[in-house]
Amino acid sequence: MTNETTRDGVKDGATQSAVETAYHRIRHLILTGEMRSGDKLLENQLAAAIGVSRTPIREALNRLNAEGLVVLERYRRGIVADFSLDDAIEIFRLRAILEGHATSRAASRISEADLQRLQELERVMETQFEELGWNEHLEGFDKLNAEFHAVIAAAAESPRLEKILASSLELPASIFNRYSEPVEVRTRRTHAQHREILAALRARNPEWAQAAMNAHLFSLLPTASGSLEHEDGAK
Amino acid sequence: MTNETTRDGVKDGATQSAVETAYHRIRHLILTGEMRSGDKLLENQLAAAIGVSRTPIREALNRLNAEGLVVLERYRRGIVADFSLDDAIEIFRLRAILEGHATSRAASRISEADLQRLQELERVMETQFEELGWNEHLEGFDKLNAEFHAVIAAAAESPRLEKILASSLELPASIFNRYSEPVEVRTRRTHAQHREILAALRARNPEWAQAAMNAHLFSLLPTASGSLEHEDGAK
DNA sequence: GAGGAAATATTTGTATACCTTTCTAGCGGA
DNA sequence: TCCGCTAGAAAGGTATACAAATATTTCCTC
């Protein structure tokens, strides 16, 4: 039940390739906010930092470029992509459409094991929230929440849909936190919504499941004019 | 509008990079059916054929792998992806969802120039069909039809949506023709549907436009059991 | 002739060298 | 001071060399 990434599970020795290493390292830098929008991505510098040559670095940057996380132009140095409010809105709208569809399909396909996994994930998220409070639970929450959504996407049994959700519609957590409602407002509602999605999946009710997922995502969707007064004046 | 295909144009304009050349050449080989599912993609062989080194070939193959057109496994030679009937159904379903959404957005955003471009494209398609007949018009049709859909996708003004439609949900024409209804059945209906989509866009009616696009795409969607009896016996 | 292990040939993965283009610091003139 | 220009430096693009792994052939045993 606690298997994280060992799909085949035979041997985890598997010596990750240099481009896999580079890809995950750079992606992590961006998604966690260690590198911010506009930061320069110099191939030599990254190669030295990660300990491989420029070749795998270039391959990793190209993948991240295709996913929209970095911007590459010929002969120009790559930079971390900038996400405007409009970008965030667009991503959430597309996520809602595609993840709603995925949830609908998942409702009639998901296995009992996956349902239990979802319940366990949500239980841990809520426990950590109660124990650690609003801010300290965030790091663990992001990871667990990502798996919660990934399990549902996988249960839809549509490999291209799963891939699009995992690769093309990612948003750095820092950007998300910048544009969305503050964590105090959305945390309790998120947990209630997760429980409702789980209930709809258990009931194997595609329409309900889709609607619940849509409600969840649209509730997080930032709006251009209305809901940003809470932004702190500093910065 | 965009003057693509500037092969060695008279203008000094932007000599295409080696990876762009390789990417388009290989992609064309696959989409037109010159290379079929399962065919081996040897880097050295492609490099020699296209006249560049392995480096840009590898970059092109990686892009095509991300788009789902080729399958790469570490240390194994790449092969042209295989598209099953289920794959074709999945792609058309996702296209319908996303392109329907794009058409809805386009209805309230599309420019007069783009509307005229769509009308012109449809006019040429119908003219060529009348003049060349069912089979001979196909090559030209595929290109014009692709632009018809691309203009609408661009008019939606959602760059990620446009990119997903252009890159992640492509299907080789040969595969499409294998699984879909024969050209004699679908050609006239396709033109009627294009006219309806155009009318809905002109009327700036998002719901109508989305529904018309969905009808168009779902009418092309192959079904697992019902609609393939027309397949000629020679299998 | 079949099966399988070792030897050989191919093929991909990575590092490095070299070329082309962009970036930047410094200079000179208005 | 502010442009504009121009080398020199820096960075990305491509070709090539070499290492690691796979694919194929050879050859032995039965």
Side-chain angles (χ1 to χ4, degrees):
Chain A
M1 194 89 62
T2 60
N3 57 347
E4 292 185 356
T5 55
T6 56
R7 289 296 290 271
D8 46 14
V10 181
K11 52 191 307 184
D12 55 7
T15 60
Q16 209 169 212
S17 74
V19 331
E20 285 292 305
T21 305
Y23 169 75
H24 288 295
R25 288 278 295 273
I26 300 170
R27 187 167 187 269
H28 189 260
L29 288 177
I30 298 172
L31 289 182
T32 59
E34 287 178 73
M35 296 195 74
R36 314 264 293 272
S37 298
D39 284 356
K40 293 190 243 297
L41 294 153
L42 304 186
E43 298 179 0
N44 275 318
Q45 173 183 313
L46 290 167
I50 296 178
V52 298
S53 80
R54 274 179 59 214
T55 307
I57 295 289
R58 286 179 58 81
E59 214 166 288
L61 288 178
N62 276 315
R63 282 172 65 176
L64 293 164
N65 176 57
E67 295 177 7
L69 253 43
V70 317
V71 177
L72 299 182
E73 266 178 292
R74 187 136 98 113
Y75 291 122
R76 304 277 169 73
R77 357 194 225 232
I79 58 173
V80 177
D82 178 50
F83 292 87
S84 68
L85 175 60
D86 282 348
D87 289 319
I89 292 173
E90 184 201 3
I91 286 177
F92 265 79
R93 180 168 285 123
L94 292 175
R95 281 206 81 91
I97 291 170
L98 288 175
E99 207 161 339
H101 177 63
T103 310
S104 165
R105 287 175 59 92
S108 44
R109 293 172 168 79
I110 192 168
S111 69
E112 188 56 37
D114 280 345
L115 283 170
Q116 298 216 359
R117 179 73 185 142
L118 289 176
Q119 183 165 21
E120 172 67 7
L121 285 165
E122 179 55 22
R123 189 188 66 72
V124 175
M125 279 188 272
E126 294 185 16
T127 301
Q128 290 192 353
F129 169 54
E130 296 302 339
E131 291 177 353
L132 300 174
W134 284 327
N135 285 316
E136 281 70 16
H137 91 297
L138 266 186
E139 185 179 357
F141 173 83
D142 284 341
K143 196 167 154 61
L144 294 166
N145 183 54
E147 184 178 348
F148 186 92
H149 286 260
V151 166
I152 294 173
E157 289 173 15
S158 176
R160 286 167 186 81
L161 174 55
E162 189 180 356
K163 192 165 87 172
I164 290 169
L165 285 171
S167 72
S168 294
L169 298 173
E170 205 71 51
L171 197 62
S174 55
I175 303 294
F176 171 66
N177 290 325
R178 169 144 55 98
Y179 289 132
S180 179
E181 291 182 302
V183 61
E184 307 92 63
V185 175
R186 63 176 199 258
T187 297
R188 292 192 181 280
R189 187 165 60 207
T190 288
H191 290 146
Q193 290 168 331
H194 279 178
R195 282 170 179 262
E196 177 168 5
I197 292 167
L198 183 49
L201 290 173
R202 272 206 193 288
R204 305 208 168 276
N205 184 327
E207 289 87 359
W208 182 20
Q210 176 165 7
M213 179 60 86
N214 273 331
H216 176 40
L217 291 172
F218 279 121
S219 80
L220 294 170
L221 186 150
T223 52
S225 55
S227 72
L228 287 180
E229 290 82 3
H230 57 73
E231 195 81 16
D232 57 354
K235 183 59 176 296
Chain B
M1 301 195 122
T2 56
N3 53 351
E4 52 181 84
T5 68
T6 55
R7 335 235 327 205
D8 303 334
V10 185
K11 289 190 171 180
D12 56 340
T15 53
Q16 207 166 218
S17 74
V19 332
E20 284 292 305
T21 305
Y23 169 76
H24 287 294
R25 288 279 294 274
I26 300 171
R27 186 167 188 269
H28 189 260
L29 288 176
I30 298 173
L31 289 182
T32 60
E34 286 178 73
M35 296 196 75
R36 314 265 293 275
S37 298
D39 284 357
K40 293 189 246 293
L41 294 152
L42 302 187
E43 296 177 2
N44 274 319
Q45 173 183 311
L46 290 167
I50 296 176
V52 298
S53 80
R54 275 179 59 216
T55 307
I57 296 289
R58 286 178 59 82
E59 211 165 303
L61 289 178
N62 277 316
R63 281 173 65 174
L64 294 163
N65 176 57
E67 295 177 6
L69 254 42
V70 316
V71 177
L72 298 182
E73 263 178 293
R74 202 174 162 202
Y75 288 119
R76 302 277 167 72
R77 20 197 207 219
I79 59 173
V80 177
D82 177 50
F83 291 88
S84 68
L85 175 58
D86 282 349
D87 289 320
I89 292 174
E90 185 200 1
I91 286 176
F92 265 79
R93 180 167 287 126
L94 293 175
R95 278 206 84 89
I97 291 170
L98 289 175
E99 207 161 339
H101 178 62
T103 310
S104 165
R105 287 176 58 94
S108 45
R109 288 161 224 266
I110 193 166
S111 70
E112 189 57 39
D114 281 345
L115 284 169
Q116 299 216 0
R117 179 72 185 144
L118 289 176
Q119 183 165 20
E120 172 67 6
L121 285 166
E122 180 56 21
R123 192 189 65 71
V124 175
M125 279 188 270
E126 294 184 16
T127 302
Q128 290 193 355
F129 170 53
E130 297 299 340
E131 291 176 354
L132 299 173
W134 284 326
N135 286 316
E136 281 71 14
H137 91 295
L138 266 186
E139 186 180 356
F141 173 82
D142 284 341
K143 198 168 152 59
L144 294 166
N145 183 54
E147 184 177 348
F148 186 92
H149 286 261
V151 167
I152 295 173
E157 291 174 13
S158 175
R160 287 167 186 82
L161 175 55
E162 189 179 358
K163 192 165 88 171
I164 290 169
L165 285 170
S167 73
S168 294
L169 298 173
E170 205 69 52
L171 197 62
S174 55
I175 303 293
F176 172 65
N177 289 326
R178 170 143 55 98
Y179 291 131
S180 179
E181 290 183 304
V183 62
E184 308 92 61
V185 175
R186 63 176 198 256
T187 298
R188 291 194 182 280
R189 187 166 59 207
T190 287
H191 289 146
Q193 290 168 332
H194 280 178
R195 282 171 180 261
E196 177 168 3
I197 292 166
L198 184 47
L201 290 173
R202 271 207 195 288
R204 305 207 169 277
N205 182 327
E207 289 86 0
W208 182 19
Q210 175 165 9
M213 178 61 86
N214 273 329
H216 176 41
L217 291 173
F218 279 122
S219 80
L220 295 170
L221 186 149
T223 52
S225 55
S227 72
L228 287 179
E229 290 83 2
H230 57 72
E231 195 83 15
D232 56 355
K235 172 75 174 295

